[in-house]
Amino acid sequence: MPRPHKWQLRFQGHVSRWTGPREAILGLLSKTSKHMSAKEIYSSLYKKHPNLGLTTVYRTLDLLTRMSLIHKITLGNGQRRFEFKKGEKTDHHHHHLICTGCDKIFDYKEFEEEELILIKKTEESLTRKFNFKIMDHNIEFYGLCDKCNLNIYKNKPKEIR
Amino acid sequence: MPRPHKWQLRFQGHVSRWTGPREAILGLLSKTSKHMSAKEIYSSLYKKHPNLGLTTVYRTLDLLTRMSLIHKITLGNGQRRFEFKKGEKTDHHHHHLICTGCDKIFDYKEFEEEELILIKKTEESLTRKFNFKIMDHNIEFYGLCDKCNLNIYKNKPKEIR
DNA sequence: TTCTTTATTGATAACGGTTATCATTATCAA
DNA sequence: TTGATAATGATAACCGTTATCAATAAAGAA
Ligand SMILES: [Mn+2]
Ligand SMILES: [Mn+2]
Ligand SMILES: [Zn+2]
Ligand SMILES: [Zn+2]
């Protein structure tokens, strides 16, 4: 029996029910700034919800994504992660800085104005050129974070041969 | 016994051998502008190379990627595709326009100058802010291509219930 | 509150793309 | 031509995700 919650209403109007697993998963994501995978979410919740199934995590993440309460991102290596979407009032749109050493993800929002202008121009041009209806875009930078960059100079574990 | 070829030299210096499968796969990718998946490559080559194994396709694609002869891209849905990289002389760098209806990919290279400037600025700023060493970036637009956009208004196959 | 309906759950099996294993084959320098 | 060994292909294993289905629980009705 999940307790009443500010999100409950959004579910009622959606032909869906406000359940324990949904409360747990949405609660977790709303409290972290991490970009978590399904399995990470499953593991994090194990102590408090030892009988939650991984299948339910996938299903719930899918539902929450369709409801636009969370955002799904696919990394360059194919991994899928999820992040909570802050309310419509605060502009949640941002891009990612991804460390190829440790897969850590950093949010950034630089040069919003200039970027927006360029995006708009590009969109218009591409629409004309290809007769393409653009719905969304994705921008990401890859590299090495502070920590991983240092580790380059440290000894790597010996290779067994 | 694969025949001599302009790429052969690159292999010899690489502690690797110039083989039939490698000639076939590199040949195919160099002749198409498509962004192909491993299985698509495997199927395309089946007629001429009926005993080529899918495993070899994966291994070869990995090698060619490490040799920077081809480029691997991961779509938003996790699919992996490969495209031939034109020589270093012609600037191969470009971005993608991806149709979420049919997964078709369009290359584009718009506003190179402006984009480059913005990218540079963003990179510098992010490097300062996060002490991050940026190595690469990825920009892609999602939407519906000409054809898929039209199909929205056509009848969808009846759902069985 | 209790009842009824049915959406949701979790265990399990299945799936699809990719990788590991290993005996066989083919490349290429000597 | 030959020998060392890199490369191949059949097969099994792997891993993230999805399908199936009987059991459970949310929420409106009584
Ligand atoms: Mn983010
Ligand atoms: Mn391309
Ligand atoms: Zn890192
Ligand atoms: Zn399309």
Side-chain angles (χ1 to χ4, degrees), chain A residues 98-104 106 143-149, chain B residues 132:
Chain A
I98 302 163
C99 177
T100 53
C102 63
D103 285 345
K104 211 173 290 167
F106 300 81
L144 291 171
C145 75
D146 199 4
K147 202 174 154 194
C148 290
N149 200 20
Chain B
F132 202 98

Side-chain angles (χ1 to χ4, degrees), chain A residues 127-148:
Chain A
T127 299
R128 267 200 309 280
K129 189 167 173 182
F130 296 104
N131 196 23
F132 202 97
K133 179 168 192 179
I134 292 175
M135 315 288 284
D136 199 8
H137 68 262
N138 178 34
I139 300 182
E140 48 201 20
F141 287 90
Y142 296 96
L144 291 171
C145 75
D146 199 4
K147 202 174 154 194
C148 290

Side-chain angles (χ1 to χ4, degrees), chain A residues 115-125, chain B residues 111 141:
Chain A
E115 186 185 285
L116 202 64
I117 291 169
L118 182 57
I119 296 273
K120 268 269 174 317
K121 271 171 67 176
T122 308
E123 281 189 358
E124 276 165 25
S125 171
Chain B
F111 306 112
F141 286 90

Side-chain angles (χ1 to χ4, degrees), chain A residues 33 35 71 73 83-84 92 94-96 105-108:
Chain A
S33 63
H35 302 72
H71 185 225
I73 57 188
E83 66 179 331
F84 184 70
H92 174 260
H94 63 266
H95 298 135
H96 291 130
I105 301 177
F106 300 81
D107 293 335
Y108 79 86

Side-chain angles (χ1 to χ4, degrees), chain B residues 99 102 145 148:
Chain B
C99 176
C102 63
C145 76
C148 290

